[in-house]
């Protein structure tokens, strides 16, 4: 019987790349999510029945244990930006992370991979970053041999970063950003997945790895890189932190008074706090090189999926190549 890996959050942006890699390795893959009916896109990653979405809520012991039954390794890709509601920071990023690690240790599983984030810090002002740090601590206490991966902002076809700002270019000549001078080190989603794959296969030392790509750029520079990929010119406007705080507060308030009917996916006060600090690999941290993963630069990849935001979509390149035709 081939080996089995359970990927909590295996239908999400990062999880699906991990699922695909493990399927290619010949493993059976169990994708444990709250909405397996919306996770059918993972099934063609393998042969019939090789990749199976199953119902699981990381907030519940019994359901996490059931999804783990018979597994040889687990990967936890569940995270949230949601402060309120049941699926909040504490429930998912601390208690959920601890639950997966504790049950994996009880089951005697070989390898556990936990996806955290650069910036995880017990002293941070941001609840996202504090709960990421608390989650890491809980994982290491329960499963000391865990491999913890801390990516910077992740890019790839389904990303929520470049796609979001490229979408915003459709609304007018100004592209507002918060923390234009904050530095990021974008990492390719499949590089993160490759790191997770190696950890599942037991090819890396346990510990914490910070994952960043080859480019360290400010938010403003990244936006300029994105604009040149979509052949558009926009004014990148830096929204001062105090103004962003007011906007985030109003949006959080709208979400709270409507009891979550309006979800704030635009900008939260907590995100404003984390945007104040650079999001790059720390000095001396272990990273992609230690994992034997060659980092991919973002300019080489984003054009492959952001072309739809160009003024004439896929036809821009055809028009440009036809310009020199002598007809
Ligand atoms: N994307 C980035 O740029 C980035 C950067 C740094 C770190 N990270 C971290 O990387 C990890 C993966 O991020 P992502 O971008 O792939 O997230 P994502 O696309 O939002 O995916 C989240 C996944 O978790 C599942 N999930 C959510 N709540 C759950 C629950 N209570 N029980 C079981 N499954 C649940 C979701 O499926 P259902 O909704 O069907 O349950 C989905 O499959 C997270 O820990 C995130 O913090 C991401």
């Amino acid at each position: 019987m081939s080996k089995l890996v359970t990927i909590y959050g295996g239908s999400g942006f990062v999880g699906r790349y991990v699922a695909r890699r493990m399927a290619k390795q010949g493993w059976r893959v169990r994708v444990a999510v709250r909405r397996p009916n919306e996770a059918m896109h993972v099934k063609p990653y393998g042969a019939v029945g090789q990749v199976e979405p199953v119902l699981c809520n990381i907030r519940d012991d019994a359901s996490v244990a059931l999804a783990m039954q018979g597994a040889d390794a687990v990967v936890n890709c569940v995270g949230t930006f949601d402060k309120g509601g049941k699926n909040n920071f504490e429930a998912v990023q601390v208690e959920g992370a601890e639950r997966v690690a504790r049950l994996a240790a009880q089951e005697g599983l070989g390898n556990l991979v936990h996806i955290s984030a650069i910036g995880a810090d017990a002293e941070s002002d941001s609840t996202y970053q504090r709960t990421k740090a608390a989650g890491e601590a809980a994982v290491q206490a329960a499963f000391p041999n865990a491999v913890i991966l801390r990516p910077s902002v992740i890019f790839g076809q389904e990303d929520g970063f470049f796609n979001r700002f490229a979408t915003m270019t459709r609304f007018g000549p100004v592209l507002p950003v918060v923390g234009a001078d904050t530095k990021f080190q974008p990492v390719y989603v499949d590089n993160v997945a490759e790191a997770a794959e190696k950890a599942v296969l037991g090819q890396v030392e346990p510990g914490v790895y910070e994952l960043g790509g080859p480019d360290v750029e400010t938010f403003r520079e990244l936006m300029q890189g994105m604009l040149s990929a979509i052949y558009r010119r926009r004014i990148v406007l830096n929204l001062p932190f105090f103004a962003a705080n007011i906007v985030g507060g109003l949006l959080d308030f709208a979400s709270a008074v409507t009891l979550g009917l309006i979800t704030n996916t635009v900008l939260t006060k907590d995100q404003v706090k984390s945007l104040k600090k650079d999001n790059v690999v720390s000095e001396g941290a272990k990273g992609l090189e230690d994992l034997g993963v060659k980092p991919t630069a973002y300019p080489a990849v984003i054009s492959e999926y952001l072309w739809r935001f160009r003024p004439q979509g896929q036809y821009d390149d055809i028009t440009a190549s036809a310009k020199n035709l002598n007809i």
Side-chain angles (χ1 to χ4, degrees):
M1 187 72 112
S2 55
K3 290 196 167 185
L4 170 67
V5 59
T6 298
I7 308 178
Y8 296 94
S11 66
F13 173 41
V14 177
R16 67 183 69 184
Y17 284 80
V18 183
R20 191 157 55 187
R21 277 190 168 267
M22 292 318 300
K24 279 197 179 151
Q25 284 287 347
W27 283 48
R28 288 173 297 134
V29 182
R30 200 176 275 156
V31 166
V33 290
R34 291 168 303 169
R35 290 177 280 249
N37 52 318
E38 291 177 21
M40 295 303 163
H41 54 274
V42 299
K43 286 175 73 89
Y45 294 166
V48 176
Q50 189 186 350
V51 184
E52 282 299 330
V54 299
L55 177 71
C56 168
N57 194 326
I58 204 177
R59 306 197 309 269
D60 174 64
D61 263 34
S63 119
V64 171
L66 197 62
M68 203 181 277
Q69 240 175 35
D72 298 280
V74 288
V75 183
N76 182 4
C77 297
V78 182
T80 184
F81 278 115
D82 207 359
K83 190 177 153 203
K86 287 182 189 163
N87 219 41
N88 57 45
F89 288 132
E90 191 71 29
V92 170
Q93 297 189 162
V94 186
E95 293 162 19
E98 186 274 337
R99 182 167 293 116
V100 171
R102 170 171 44 84
L103 294 171
Q106 272 174 27
E107 281 285 312
L109 262 65
N111 294 308
L112 164 70
V113 187
H114 176 74
I115 314 283
S116 183
I118 282 189
D121 176 5
E123 306 298 321
S124 173
D125 285 345
S126 146
T127 317
Y128 174 81
Q129 294 180 334
R130 269 200 320 275
T131 51
K132 278 292 189 192
E136 286 185 7
V139 167
Q140 282 183 316
F143 201 109
N145 283 339
V147 172
I148 296 178
L149 303 177
R150 289 181 174 178
S152 179
V153 64
I154 305 174
F155 67 92
Q157 186 160 355
E158 309 86 348
D159 72 46
F161 182 71
F162 286 117
N163 277 301
R164 168 191 289 213
F165 288 98
T167 306
M168 283 166 64
T169 62
R170 289 175 166 164
F171 303 134
V174 176
L175 185 63
V177 299
V178 180
D181 297 320
T182 304
K183 289 186 182 133
F184 290 88
Q185 197 169 346
V187 58
Y188 184 42
V189 62
D190 200 42
N191 290 161
V192 179
E194 191 180 346
E197 174 192 16
K198 286 180 180 248
V200 169
L201 297 175
Q203 295 172 351
V204 301
E205 293 290 310
V208 179
Y209 294 82
E210 297 203 344
L211 311 185
D215 305 291
V216 176
E217 290 185 10
T218 63
F219 203 159
R220 185 189 301 281
E221 288 166 341
L222 292 175
M223 291 302 98
Q224 279 152 356
M226 177 273 289
L227 288 168
S228 67
I230 63 170
Y231 306 158
R232 286 185 191 270
R233 293 170 65 187
R234 293 288 181 270
I235 299 160
V236 179
L237 179 77
N238 184 31
L239 204 62
F241 286 117
F242 77 89
N245 213 27
I246 295 170
V247 175
L250 288 172
L251 293 168
D252 282 347
F253 180 70
S255 175
V257 290
T258 57
L259 300 174
L261 271 181
I262 300 174
T263 42
N264 178 7
T265 52
V266 180
L267 179 72
T268 66
K269 274 180 89 167
D270 201 70
Q271 281 168 331
V272 176
K273 286 176 190 162
S274 52
L275 283 165
K276 289 181 183 168
K277 274 180 75 180
D278 289 343
N279 199 275
V280 297
V281 172
S282 356
E283 234 181 272
K286 287 194 284 183
L288 285 177
E289 277 180 15
D290 302 277
L291 293 161
V293 178
K294 193 168 174 283
T296 308
Y298 83 90
V301 177
I302 60 171
S303 296
E304 285 172 19
Y305 60 93
L306 293 184
W307 53 263
R308 63 199 174 97
F309 297 102
R310 291 175 183 163
Q312 298 170 61
Q314 72 268 44
Y315 299 109
D316 274 290
D317 276 350
I318 301 170
T319 316
S321 67
K323 259 188 188 150
N324 297 329
L325 287 181
N326 206 1
I327 46 172

Coordinates of all heavy atoms in Angstrom, one line a residue, residues 182-238:
T182 N 7.7 49.3 3.1 CA 7.9 48.0 3.8 C 8.5 47.0 2.8 O 8.0 46.9 1.7 CB 6.6 47.5 4.4 OG1 6.1 48.6 5.3 CG2 6.8 46.3 5.2
K183 N 9.5 46.3 3.3 CA 10.1 45.3 2.3 C 9.5 43.9 2.4 O 9.1 43.5 3.5 CB 11.6 45.2 2.7 CG 12.4 46.4 2.3 CD 13.8 46.2 2.4 CE 14.6 47.4 2.1 NZ 15.6 47.8 3.1
F184 N 9.4 43.3 1.3 CA 8.9 41.9 1.2 C 9.9 41.1 0.4 O 10.7 41.6 -0.4 CB 7.5 41.9 0.5 CG 6.4 42.5 1.3 CD1 6.2 43.8 1.2 CD2 5.7 41.7 2.1 CE1 5.1 44.4 1.9 CE2 4.6 42.2 2.8 CZ 4.4 43.6 2.8
Q185 N 9.8 39.8 0.5 CA 10.6 38.9 -0.2 C 9.8 37.8 -0.8 O 9.7 36.6 -0.3 CB 11.7 38.3 0.8 CG 12.9 37.7 0.1 CD 14.0 37.3 1.0 OE1 14.0 37.8 2.2 NE2 14.9 36.5 0.6
P186 N 9.0 38.1 -1.9 CA 8.0 37.1 -2.4 C 8.6 35.8 -2.7 O 9.7 35.7 -3.3 CB 7.5 37.8 -3.7 CG 7.9 39.2 -3.6 CD 9.2 39.3 -2.7
V187 N 7.9 34.8 -2.3 CA 8.3 33.4 -2.5 C 7.3 32.7 -3.4 O 6.1 32.8 -3.2 CB 8.6 32.7 -1.2 CG1 7.4 32.6 -0.3 CG2 9.2 31.3 -1.4
Y188 N 7.8 31.9 -4.3 CA 6.9 31.2 -5.3 C 6.2 30.0 -4.6 O 6.8 29.2 -3.8 CB 7.7 30.7 -6.5 CG 6.9 30.0 -7.5 CD1 5.7 30.5 -7.9 CD2 7.4 28.8 -8.2 CE1 4.9 29.9 -8.9 CE2 6.6 28.2 -9.2 CZ 5.4 28.8 -9.5 OH 4.7 28.2 -10.5
V189 N 4.9 29.9 -4.8 CA 4.1 28.9 -4.1 C 4.6 27.5 -4.3 O 4.6 26.7 -3.3 CB 2.6 29.0 -4.5 CG1 2.4 28.7 -6.0 CG2 1.7 28.1 -3.7
D190 N 5.2 27.2 -5.5 CA 5.6 25.8 -5.7 C 7.0 25.6 -5.0 O 7.3 24.4 -4.7 CB 5.7 25.5 -7.2 CG 5.8 24.0 -7.4 OD1 5.0 23.3 -6.7 OD2 6.6 23.5 -8.2
N191 N 7.7 26.7 -4.7 CA 8.9 26.5 -3.9 C 8.5 26.2 -2.4 O 9.2 25.4 -1.8 CB 9.7 27.8 -3.8 CG 10.4 28.1 -5.2 OD1 10.8 29.3 -5.4 ND2 10.5 27.2 -6.0
V192 N 7.4 26.8 -1.9 CA 6.9 26.5 -0.6 C 6.5 25.0 -0.6 O 6.8 24.2 0.3 CB 5.8 27.4 -0.2 CG1 5.2 27.0 1.2 CG2 6.2 28.8 -0.2
A193 N 5.8 24.6 -1.6 CA 5.3 23.2 -1.7 C 6.5 22.2 -1.8 O 6.4 21.2 -1.2 CB 4.4 23.1 -2.9
E194 N 7.5 22.6 -2.5 CA 8.7 21.7 -2.6 C 9.3 21.5 -1.3 O 9.7 20.4 -0.9 CB 9.7 22.3 -3.7 CG 10.8 21.3 -4.0 CD 11.8 21.8 -5.0 OE1 11.5 22.8 -5.7 OE2 12.8 21.2 -5.2
A195 N 9.4 22.6 -0.5 CA 10.0 22.5 0.8 C 9.1 21.6 1.7 O 9.6 20.7 2.4 CB 10.0 24.0 1.5
A196 N 7.8 21.8 1.6 CA 6.9 20.9 2.4 C 7.0 19.4 1.9 O 7.1 18.5 2.8 CB 5.5 21.4 2.2
E197 N 7.2 19.2 0.6 CA 7.3 17.9 0.1 C 8.6 17.2 0.7 O 8.5 16.1 1.2 CB 7.5 17.9 -1.4 CG 7.8 16.6 -2.1 CD 8.2 16.9 -3.6 OE1 8.5 18.0 -4.0 OE2 8.2 15.9 -4.3
K198 N 9.7 17.9 0.7 CA 10.9 17.4 1.2 C 10.8 17.0 2.7 O 11.3 16.0 3.2 CB 12.1 18.4 1.0 CG 12.5 18.4 -0.4 CD 13.7 19.4 -0.6 CE 14.1 19.4 -2.1 NZ 15.4 18.9 -2.3
A199 N 10.1 17.9 3.4 CA 9.9 17.7 4.8 C 9.0 16.4 5.1 O 9.3 15.6 6.0 CB 9.3 18.9 5.5
V200 N 8.0 16.3 4.3 CA 7.1 15.1 4.4 C 7.9 13.8 4.1 O 7.8 12.8 4.8 CB 5.9 15.2 3.4 CG1 5.2 13.8 3.3 CG2 4.9 16.3 3.8
L201 N 8.8 13.9 3.2 CA 9.6 12.7 2.8 C 10.8 12.5 3.8 O 11.5 11.6 3.7 CB 10.2 12.9 1.4 CG 9.2 13.0 0.3 CD1 9.9 13.3 -1.1 CD2 8.4 11.7 0.1
G202 N 10.9 13.4 4.8 CA 11.9 13.2 5.9 C 13.3 13.6 5.4 O 14.2 13.0 5.9
Q203 N 13.3 14.4 4.4 CA 14.7 14.7 3.8 C 15.3 16.0 4.5 O 16.4 16.4 4.0 CB 14.6 14.9 2.3 CG 14.1 13.7 1.6 CD 13.8 13.9 0.1 OE1 13.8 15.1 -0.4 NE2 13.6 12.9 -0.6
V204 N 14.6 16.6 5.4 CA 15.2 17.8 6.0 C 15.2 17.7 7.5 O 14.5 17.0 8.1 CB 14.4 19.1 5.6 CG1 14.4 19.2 4.1 CG2 13.0 19.1 6.1
E205 N 16.1 18.5 8.1 CA 16.2 18.6 9.6 C 15.0 19.2 10.2 O 14.5 20.2 9.6 CB 17.4 19.4 10.0 CG 18.8 18.8 9.6 CD 19.1 17.6 10.4 OE1 19.0 17.7 11.6 OE2 19.4 16.6 9.8
P206 N 14.5 18.8 11.3 CA 13.4 19.5 12.0 C 13.8 20.9 12.3 O 15.0 21.2 12.5 CB 13.2 18.7 13.3 CG 13.9 17.4 13.1 CD 15.0 17.6 12.1
G207 N 12.9 21.8 12.5 CA 13.2 23.2 12.9 C 12.4 24.2 12.1 O 11.5 23.8 11.4
V208 N 12.8 25.4 12.2 CA 12.1 26.5 11.6 C 12.9 27.0 10.4 O 14.1 27.3 10.5 CB 11.9 27.7 12.6 CG1 11.1 28.9 11.9 CG2 11.1 27.2 13.8
Y209 N 12.2 27.2 9.3 CA 12.8 27.7 8.0 C 12.0 28.9 7.6 O 10.8 28.9 7.5 CB 12.7 26.6 6.9 CG 13.6 25.4 7.3 CD1 13.1 24.4 8.1 CD2 14.9 25.2 6.8 CE1 13.8 23.3 8.4 CE2 15.6 24.1 7.1 CZ 15.1 23.1 7.9 OH 15.8 22.0 8.2
E210 N 12.8 30.0 7.2 CA 12.1 31.2 6.7 C 12.3 31.1 5.2 O 13.4 31.1 4.6 CB 12.7 32.4 7.3 CG 12.5 32.4 8.8 CD 12.6 33.8 9.4 OE1 13.1 34.8 8.8 OE2 12.1 34.0 10.6
L211 N 11.1 31.3 4.5 CA 11.2 31.1 3.0 C 10.9 32.4 2.3 O 9.9 33.0 2.4 CB 10.1 30.1 2.6 CG 10.0 28.8 3.4 CD1 9.0 27.8 2.7 CD2 11.4 28.1 3.4
G212 N 11.9 32.9 1.6 CA 11.8 34.1 0.8 C 12.5 33.8 -0.6 O 13.4 33.0 -0.7
G213 N 12.0 34.5 -1.6 CA 12.5 34.4 -3.0 C 13.8 35.2 -3.1 O 14.3 35.8 -2.2
P214 N 14.3 35.3 -4.4 CA 15.6 36.0 -4.6 C 15.5 37.5 -4.6 O 16.5 38.2 -4.4 CB 16.0 35.5 -6.0 CG 14.8 34.9 -6.6 CD 13.8 34.6 -5.6
D215 N 14.2 38.1 -4.7 CA 14.1 39.5 -4.7 C 13.6 40.1 -3.4 O 12.6 39.6 -2.8 CB 13.1 39.9 -5.8 CG 13.5 39.4 -7.1 OD1 14.5 39.8 -7.7 OD2 12.7 38.5 -7.6
V216 N 14.4 41.0 -2.8 CA 13.9 41.8 -1.6 C 13.5 43.2 -2.1 O 14.3 43.9 -2.6 CB 14.9 41.9 -0.5 CG1 14.4 42.8 0.6 CG2 15.3 40.5 0.0
E217 N 12.2 43.5 -2.1 CA 11.7 44.8 -2.7 C 10.7 45.4 -1.8 O 10.0 44.7 -1.0 CB 11.1 44.5 -4.1 CG 12.2 44.2 -5.1 CD 11.6 44.0 -6.5 OE1 10.4 44.4 -6.7 OE2 12.3 43.5 -7.4
T218 N 10.6 46.7 -1.9 CA 9.6 47.4 -1.1 C 8.2 47.1 -1.8 O 8.1 46.7 -3.0 CB 9.8 48.9 -1.1 OG1 9.7 49.4 -2.4 CG2 11.1 49.3 -0.5
F219 N 7.2 47.4 -1.0 CA 5.8 47.2 -1.5 C 5.6 48.0 -2.8 O 5.1 47.6 -3.8 CB 4.8 47.7 -0.5 CG 3.4 47.2 -0.5 CD1 2.6 47.2 0.6 CD2 2.9 46.6 -1.7 CE1 1.3 46.7 0.5 CE2 1.7 46.1 -1.8 CZ 0.8 46.2 -0.7
R220 N 6.2 49.3 -2.8 CA 6.1 50.1 -4.0 C 6.8 49.5 -5.2 O 6.2 49.4 -6.3 CB 6.7 51.5 -3.7 CG 6.5 52.5 -4.8 CD 7.4 53.8 -4.6 NE 7.0 54.4 -3.3 CZ 6.0 55.2 -3.1 NH1 5.2 55.5 -4.2 NH2 5.7 55.8 -2.0
E221 N 8.0 49.0 -5.0 CA 8.7 48.3 -6.1 C 8.0 47.1 -6.6 O 7.9 46.9 -7.8 CB 10.1 47.9 -5.6 CG 11.0 49.1 -5.5 CD 12.3 48.8 -4.7 OE1 12.4 47.8 -4.0 OE2 13.2 49.7 -4.8
L222 N 7.4 46.4 -5.7 CA 6.6 45.2 -6.2 C 5.4 45.6 -7.0 O 5.1 45.0 -8.0 CB 6.1 44.4 -5.0 CG 7.2 43.7 -4.1 CD1 6.5 43.0 -2.9 CD2 7.9 42.6 -5.0
M223 N 4.8 46.7 -6.6 CA 3.6 47.2 -7.4 C 4.1 47.7 -8.8 O 3.4 47.5 -9.8 CB 2.9 48.4 -6.7 CG 2.2 47.9 -5.4 SD 0.9 46.7 -5.7 CE 1.7 45.2 -5.3
Q224 N 5.3 48.3 -8.8 CA 5.8 48.7 -10.1 C 6.2 47.5 -11.0 O 5.9 47.5 -12.2 CB 7.0 49.6 -9.9 CG 6.6 51.1 -9.6 CD 7.5 51.9 -8.8 OE1 8.6 51.4 -8.4 NE2 7.2 53.1 -8.6
G225 N 6.7 46.4 -10.4 CA 6.9 45.2 -11.1 C 5.7 44.6 -11.7 O 5.6 44.2 -12.8
M226 N 4.6 44.7 -10.8 CA 3.3 44.1 -11.3 C 2.8 45.0 -12.4 O 2.3 44.5 -13.5 CB 2.4 44.1 -10.1 CG 0.9 43.7 -10.4 SD -0.1 45.0 -10.9 CE -0.3 46.0 -9.4
L227 N 2.9 46.3 -12.3 CA 2.4 47.2 -13.4 C 3.1 47.0 -14.7 O 2.5 47.0 -15.8 CB 2.5 48.7 -12.9 CG 1.5 49.1 -11.8 CD1 1.9 50.5 -11.2 CD2 0.1 49.1 -12.3
S228 N 4.4 46.7 -14.6 CA 5.1 46.5 -15.9 C 4.7 45.2 -16.5 O 4.7 45.0 -17.7 CB 6.6 46.7 -15.8 OG 7.1 45.7 -15.0
A229 N 4.3 44.2 -15.7 CA 3.9 42.9 -16.2 C 2.5 43.0 -16.9 O 2.2 42.2 -17.8 CB 3.8 41.9 -15.1
I230 N 1.7 44.0 -16.5 CA 0.4 44.1 -17.1 C 0.3 45.3 -18.0 O -0.8 45.7 -18.4 CB -0.8 44.2 -16.0 CG1 -0.6 45.4 -15.1 CG2 -0.8 42.9 -15.2 CD1 -1.9 45.6 -14.2
Y231 N 1.4 45.9 -18.3 CA 1.5 47.0 -19.3 C 0.6 48.2 -18.9 O -0.1 48.7 -19.8 CB 1.2 46.5 -20.7 CG 2.0 45.3 -21.2 CD1 1.4 44.5 -22.2 CD2 3.2 45.0 -20.7 CE1 2.2 43.4 -22.7 CE2 3.9 43.9 -21.2 CZ 3.4 43.1 -22.2 OH 4.1 42.1 -22.7
R232 N 0.6 48.5 -17.7 CA -0.3 49.6 -17.3 C 0.5 50.6 -16.4 O 1.5 50.2 -15.8 CB -1.5 49.2 -16.4 CG -2.5 48.5 -17.2 CD -3.7 48.2 -16.3 NE -4.7 47.3 -17.0 CZ -5.7 47.7 -17.7 NH1 -5.9 49.0 -17.9 NH2 -6.5 46.8 -18.2
R233 N 0.1 51.9 -16.5 CA 0.8 52.9 -15.7 C -0.2 53.4 -14.7 O -1.4 53.8 -15.0 CB 1.2 54.1 -16.6 CG 2.4 53.6 -17.5 CD 2.7 54.7 -18.5 NE 3.2 55.9 -17.9 CZ 3.4 57.0 -18.6 NH1 3.1 57.1 -19.9 NH2 3.9 58.1 -18.0
R234 N 0.1 53.4 -13.4 CA -0.7 53.9 -12.3 C 0.1 54.6 -11.3 O 1.3 54.4 -11.2 CB -1.4 52.7 -11.6 CG -2.4 51.9 -12.4 CD -3.7 52.7 -12.7 NE -4.7 52.0 -13.4 CZ -4.7 52.0 -14.8 NH1 -3.9 52.7 -15.5 NH2 -5.7 51.3 -15.4
I235 N -0.5 55.6 -10.6 CA 0.2 56.3 -9.5 C 0.1 55.4 -8.3 O -1.0 55.1 -7.8 CB -0.4 57.7 -9.3 CG1 -0.4 58.5 -10.5 CG2 0.2 58.4 -8.1 CD1 -1.4 59.6 -10.6
V236 N 1.2 54.9 -7.8 CA 1.2 54.1 -6.5 C 1.2 55.1 -5.4 O 2.1 55.8 -5.1 CB 2.4 53.2 -6.5 CG1 2.4 52.4 -5.2 CG2 2.5 52.3 -7.7
L237 N 0.0 55.2 -4.7 CA -0.2 56.2 -3.6 C 0.0 55.5 -2.3 O -0.8 54.5 -2.0 CB -1.6 56.8 -3.8 CG -1.9 57.8 -2.7 CD1 -1.3 59.1 -3.0 CD2 -3.4 58.0 -2.6
N238 N 0.9 56.0 -1.5 CA 1.1 55.5 -0.1 C 0.1 56.1 0.8 O 0.1 57.3 1.1 CB 2.5 55.8 0.3 CG 2.8 55.1 1.7 OD1 2.3 54.1 2.0 ND2 3.7 55.7 2.5

